[in-house]
Amino acid sequence: MTQQNLIAQNLAPKESNTKDSATLPQRKLGNLSVSALGLGCMGMSHGHGPARDTKEMIKLIRQAYDLGVRYFDTAEIYGLHTNELLLGEALKPLRDKVLIGTKFGLYYPFGKQMQDSSKKAIFRAIDASLKRLQSDYIDIYTQHRVYTDTPIEEVADTMRELVKMGKIRHWGLSEAGARAIERAHKEFALTAVQSQYSMSFREHENDGVIPTCKRLDIGFIAYSPLDRGLLTGVMTPDFTFAKGDMRLSFPRYTPEALKANQAIVTFIENIGKQKGATIAQTALAWILAQGDFIMPIPETTNPAHLVENLKAVNFRFSQEELRAVDEALQKIVIVGERFAPGSDAAKSVGL
């Protein structure tokens, strides 16, 4: 039996029906129950060219709810507030039935990345986010990047105050290093850490982040689980990005890198073909198999892709297959860093 046959042997459909919103599997982030997949909403308003039509995105968000999604991710800087406004409008009639995560502390005045997680800044940010989201509370309030000028213990203490005030129910960190996670959790328990994670970006398995989350019973929210579109099969070397797409500045998505990185796309495609799973479904199913404390939040602005992504819950990997996948992935060289070396984005992760 070939290695790929071995990997696909038990990538078999499970009984599930994503048409019924009550049947999408659940998992735990700390003591918070969430749908197995959430929805990343950034690209609807920010980061991938012009913002999409508001009415169409509201329709998509509500379709995600109908399909069982219960966690929706945004941030105050996405579209400079417009993404929070979008979610506020879309989820207003569903507010008591869904979970909303938003983020604070990262800003881009005049195009330059800046951070502020002082208590004063957080109190100002939370009230503005609540107003835009048309909500009295936020389910998971996440520090967008660790801000070294404000000790993480002070940030945790501010989060404790916000919980006591009823403005947030849980809190988290994004792209934090293992040491910061431990320090924050010791001061006031974290519910989740949100960081990039995919079959083509596995750094957090080895830098202590994912092991720390597992050990401390902290959920892990995997953003860009399809590596910003790479693991969909759509981003071939001649792929054209829209003007203003943030991926134009990332080394991983140059034509040369995309050409080289088709190796992992083809590998994933071959696994999925044998059981009727698409590239995206296979990549998401792999993440779901890494632990029941991990929730991927793939982005999409396309209703068909939404349905496709959620059907990832219909497939599974055995432990034997996961070992075979790991062995194969270690032999595939990924070309291009996720952020430009030396950039503000690169400097602000892992702190």
Side-chain angles (χ1 to χ4, degrees):
M1 181 179 292
T2 67
Q3 185 178 57
Q4 288 178 347
N5 282 332
L6 173 63
I7 293 168
Q9 185 177 28
N10 289 319
L11 190 60
K14 296 185 293 183
E15 292 185 5
S16 180
N17 178 11
T18 55
K19 292 182 179 179
D20 182 350
S21 64
T23 62
L24 197 64
Q26 300 287 295
R27 35 189 55 198
K28 291 283 190 177
L29 303 181
N31 62 2
L32 183 64
S33 181
V34 297
S35 50
L37 289 93
L39 181 63
C41 299
M42 182 191 77
M44 299 176 183
S45 312
H46 171 86
H48 299 313
R52 306 307 195 264
D53 179 79
T54 298
K55 290 183 179 179
E56 290 301 313
M57 292 303 96
I58 289 175
K59 183 178 178 180
L60 179 68
I61 291 166
R62 292 178 179 170
Q63 179 188 7
Y65 172 82
D66 290 339
L67 293 171
V69 175
R70 293 294 179 269
Y71 187 84
F72 297 84
D73 177 79
T74 185
E76 61 176 342
I77 63 165
Y78 295 165
L80 190 56
H81 308 153
T82 58
N83 200 240
E84 285 187 331
L85 289 168
L86 171 65
L87 255 67
E89 183 65 25
L91 297 176
K92 184 177 181 180
L94 303 168
R95 184 63 189 98
D96 62 340
K97 300 176 182 178
V98 300
L99 303 171
I100 297 176
T102 193
K103 309 176 199 72
F104 67 89
L106 188 62
Y107 306 97
Y108 288 91
F110 311 108
K112 176 68 175 176
Q113 179 175 303
M114 295 183 65
Q115 295 172 247
D116 191 348
S117 287
S118 64
K119 182 175 180 178
K120 179 179 179 180
I122 292 172
F123 271 59
R124 181 173 60 245
I126 185 67
D127 287 338
S129 286
L130 289 172
K131 183 177 181 180
R132 289 189 290 267
L133 291 166
Q134 301 187 53
S135 178
D136 296 326
Y137 64 93
I138 289 166
D139 295 284
I140 302 182
Y141 199 41
T142 297
Q143 186 184 35
H144 213 146
R145 294 291 186 271
V146 171
Y147 179 51
T148 55
D149 285 4
T150 300
I152 199 68
E153 290 81 3
E154 291 185 18
V155 177
D157 191 57
T158 300
M159 295 299 107
R160 180 187 287 109
E161 286 191 50
L162 292 179
V163 169
K164 288 180 179 179
M165 296 167 69
K167 293 188 177 185
I168 70 173
R169 295 188 171 177
H170 305 268
W171 82 291
L173 297 176
S174 181
E175 289 290 1
R179 178 58 182 150
I181 294 168
E182 292 206 45
R183 288 171 54 196
H185 189 69
K186 183 177 180 181
E187 181 67 25
F188 186 53
L190 289 159
T191 290
V193 169
Q194 179 171 325
S195 294
Q196 189 170 347
Y197 184 47
S198 68
M199 292 181 81
S200 52
F201 182 77
R202 302 175 62 192
E203 179 179 308
H204 298 312
E205 295 176 358
N206 301 313
D207 64 5
V209 170
I210 290 179
T212 297
C213 288
K214 184 175 183 179
R215 175 170 54 84
L216 298 177
D217 194 25
I218 300 169
F220 186 88
I221 300 174
Y223 82 80
S224 294
L226 300 176
D227 202 338
R228 304 188 189 276
L230 174 65
L231 305 186
T232 64
V234 173
M235 290 172 61
T236 56
D238 59 352
F239 182 81
T240 301
F241 293 101
K243 183 178 180 180
D245 192 310
M246 63 193 301
R247 291 171 293 186
L248 287 166
S249 65
F250 296 157
R252 182 162 295 188
Y253 311 109
T254 64
E256 297 77 17
L258 287 175
K259 182 178 180 180
N261 290 330
Q262 294 309 301
I264 191 169
V265 177
T266 300
F267 170 70
I268 298 170
E269 181 180 27
N270 287 336
I271 298 171
K273 275 183 177 179
Q274 298 177 59
K275 289 296 181 178
T278 66
I279 300 168
Q281 288 166 351
T282 305
L284 291 170
W286 178 85
I287 287 185
L288 291 170
Q290 301 309 303
D292 58 9
F293 65 101
I294 298 175
M295 175 183 63
I297 52 168
E299 291 185 39
T300 188
T301 59
N302 185 315
H305 292 165
L306 172 66
V307 173
E308 175 188 353
N309 290 344
L310 295 182
K311 287 183 178 179
V313 300
N314 293 342
F315 303 94
R316 65 184 174 212
F317 287 93
S318 69
Q319 289 303 307
E320 185 179 12
E321 290 168 337
L322 288 174
R323 286 191 291 271
V325 167
D326 181 66
E327 181 181 339
L329 287 177
Q330 289 186 39
K331 298 176 182 177
I332 299 175
V333 176
I334 305 299
V335 175
E337 300 293 329
R338 59 172 176 152
F339 299 121
S343 65
D344 288 341
K347 293 176 181 178
S348 62
V349 298
L351 300 178

